[in-house]
Amino acid sequence: MHDGILLIVSAPSGAGKTSLVQALLERDPGLGRSVSATTRAPRPGERDGVHYHFLSVDTFRAELAAGGFLEHAEVFGNLYGTRAADVRRDCTPGRGLILEIDWQGARQVRACFPASVGVFILPPSAPELERRLRTRGTDSDAVIARRLAQAREDCAHWEEYDYVVVNDRFETAVADLAAVVGAERLRSRRQLGLPACLDGDLLAI
Amino acid sequence: MHDGILLIVSAPSGAGKTSLVQALLERDPGLGRSVSATTRAPRPGERDGVHYHFLSVDTFRAELAAGGFLEHAEVFGNLYGTRAADVRRDCTPGRGLILEIDWQGARQVRACFPASVGVFILPPSAPELERRLRTRGTDSDAVIARRLAQAREDCAHWEEYDYVVVNDRFETAVADLAAVVGAERLRSRRQLGLPACLDGDLLAI
């Protein structure tokens, strides 16, 4: 049995993070996804409690003042945060919990959970990133330009993460994420006590 | 492109290390296996330069005195060692080199290569280990008893390794080893310079 794995996944907007995490979750029943709280308005199809906990600014600030957030950040004028209670409830031995947060949030979580694992997802190139942002079709040119500029800034933080995955071929990137999770489960320092095969057996000389 | 990965694989005798490493090598053309030098006599089917470099005691000691070994150990009265020149030649960027050595050798290699990755392979239980040692059929009861005692001692060092893999189902254990290699290739600190997708592109603000 390994300890609960807190997996931080960050990426610039348009790198494909959400789809990759979704595919990983479908492949691996031992993983869950933390639902962030946010003050931004839901996009079409987004449901409260599933994609985000959609909070009013007042509610968010009250929870924040009460120390209820493990990390929080303001992005494009909206607040985002991870509730500490959710992580405590879901990141349990034998399980993994995925936090989809940005590099600012990752820094805060790393400070509280040094054993957390950080993965940064990169698009294969800047032109491909722009193409993906345009294909999504929900944003104006001005928003896309702002997102591209933000993406360049975000990418500068890739070295703060334990692993870097390039999302060129989607299936390869999912397999890469699965390998990271698989390997982290095998880490000696994550084993709670002795591996079962050693317990009172091989080590009993 | 990642730096050369030096993968140390250790296990008690009979845990299935050699078969697992062989299966991993067949799956992954990016990996090679270091051929150790030894003074022990070849077993049936073992070829010089393939399974081991079979050396006389005098030759081994001369190379050792000249600083030619990265690690060496005496096991059951025989000398075993890894030639430093072989590792320098084969552990190159983009590749991985597997060293099958014991915990004593692993300690020596770790001291020279802190970025090396250690995997300890465990059998599922002591009775199963004994069964495997007997099935091999090449050793007498006295040798098997000595190997079992040695196995218990070896297993006590599992925590010195980065990862622990239990060889219960063979295919699962091979997949576990593959996940470790796959994840290590994605480590940020192993990337030589920027990932290609960032080079003069996304980071050019």
Side-chain angles (χ1 to χ4, degrees):
Chain A
M1 179 71 82
H2 61 80
D3 66 2
I5 298 172
L6 196 57
L7 188 73
I8 301 169
V9 181
S10 302
S13 179
K17 179 184 54 161
T18 306
S19 307
L20 287 172
V21 166
Q22 190 53 43
L24 182 64
L25 288 168
E26 283 163 15
R27 245 176 102 137
D28 191 332
L31 292 176
R33 176 183 167 276
S34 170
V35 178
S36 297
T38 183
T39 62
R40 84 153 161 76
R43 288 184 193 148
E46 285 184 342
R47 278 178 297 154
D48 185 47
V50 177
H51 298 91
Y52 285 94
H53 299 293
F54 293 102
L55 304 184
S56 71
V57 175
D58 285 352
T59 307
F60 195 108
R61 290 207 182 280
E63 285 195 25
L64 186 60
F69 284 104
L70 193 60
E71 59 82 31
H72 75 285
E74 196 171 324
V75 182
F76 301 133
N78 297 308
L79 289 162
Y80 293 80
T82 304
R83 283 162 159 161
D86 290 358
V87 171
R88 276 196 299 271
R89 185 193 59 214
D90 295 332
C91 192
T92 50
R95 306 267 316 158
L97 182 68
I98 300 177
L99 302 187
E100 292 182 66
I101 55 181
D102 71 0
W103 63 267
Q104 302 166 75
R107 279 190 182 174
Q108 296 169 58
V109 172
R110 223 175 277 127
C112 304
F113 292 90
S116 66
V117 178
V119 181
F120 198 87
I121 295 169
L122 286 168
S125 70
E128 172 61 17
L129 180 67
E130 184 168 353
R131 197 192 62 75
R132 289 182 191 176
L133 286 174
R134 291 194 183 280
T135 307
R136 196 151 73 178
T138 57
D139 300 313
S140 68
D141 275 9
V143 168
I144 287 171
R146 199 171 55 172
R147 282 187 189 278
L148 267 173
Q150 181 69 49
R152 289 198 173 88
E153 248 184 88
D154 290 344
C155 285
H157 296 275
W158 70 273
E159 281 182 288
E160 297 170 22
Y161 291 73
D162 300 297
Y163 300 94
V164 58
V165 168
V166 177
N167 183 13
D168 190 357
R169 273 193 62 242
F170 184 80
E171 285 307 324
T172 305
V174 175
D176 284 349
L177 284 174
V180 167
V181 173
E184 287 293 331
R185 286 191 174 118
L186 302 168
R187 283 208 166 264
S188 304
R189 65 162 183 259
R190 290 198 187 281
Q191 307 310 313
L192 299 172
L194 295 172
C197 56
L198 287 180
D199 200 7
D201 182 3
L202 269 172
L203 284 185
I205 301 182
Chain B
M1 178 72 80
H2 61 79
D3 65 2
I5 297 172
L6 197 57
L7 187 74
I8 301 169
V9 181
S10 302
S13 181
K17 178 184 54 157
T18 306
S19 307
L20 287 171
V21 166
Q22 189 54 42
L24 182 65
L25 288 168
E26 283 163 16
R27 245 176 104 136
D28 191 331
L31 293 176
R33 174 183 168 276
S34 171
V35 178
S36 297
T38 184
T39 61
R40 83 152 162 75
R43 288 183 194 150
E46 285 184 340
R47 277 177 298 153
D48 186 48
V50 177
H51 299 90
Y52 284 94
H53 298 294
F54 293 102
L55 304 184
S56 71
V57 174
D58 285 353
T59 306
F60 195 108
R61 291 207 181 279
E63 286 195 24
L64 186 61
F69 283 104
L70 193 59
E71 57 83 30
H72 75 285
E74 195 170 326
V75 183
F76 301 133
N78 297 308
L79 289 162
Y80 293 80
T82 304
R83 283 162 159 162
D86 290 358
V87 171
R88 277 197 299 270
R89 186 193 60 214
D90 295 333
C91 191
T92 51
R95 306 264 319 157
L97 183 67
I98 300 176
L99 301 187
E100 293 183 65
I101 55 181
D102 70 0
W103 63 267
Q104 302 168 76
R107 279 189 182 175
Q108 295 169 60
V109 172
R110 224 175 275 127
C112 305
F113 292 91
S116 66
V117 178
V119 181
F120 198 86
I121 296 169
L122 286 167
S125 70
E128 172 61 17
L129 181 67
E130 185 168 353
R131 196 192 63 75
R132 290 181 192 177
L133 286 175
R134 290 194 184 282
T135 307
R136 196 152 73 179
T138 57
D139 299 313
S140 68
D141 274 10
V143 168
I144 287 171
R146 200 169 57 169
R147 282 187 189 276
L148 267 173
Q150 180 69 48
R152 289 197 173 89
E153 248 184 87
D154 290 345
C155 285
H157 295 275
W158 71 273
E159 281 183 291
E160 297 170 22
Y161 291 73
D162 300 297
Y163 299 95
V164 58
V165 168
V166 177
N167 183 14
D168 189 357
R169 272 194 62 241
F170 184 79
E171 284 307 324
T172 306
V174 175
D176 284 349
L177 285 174
V180 167
V181 172
E184 287 294 330
R185 285 192 175 117
L186 302 168
R187 283 209 166 263
S188 304
R189 65 162 182 259
R190 289 198 186 282
Q191 307 309 313
L192 299 173
L194 296 171
C197 56
L198 288 180
D199 200 7
D201 182 4
L202 269 172
L203 284 183
I205 301 180

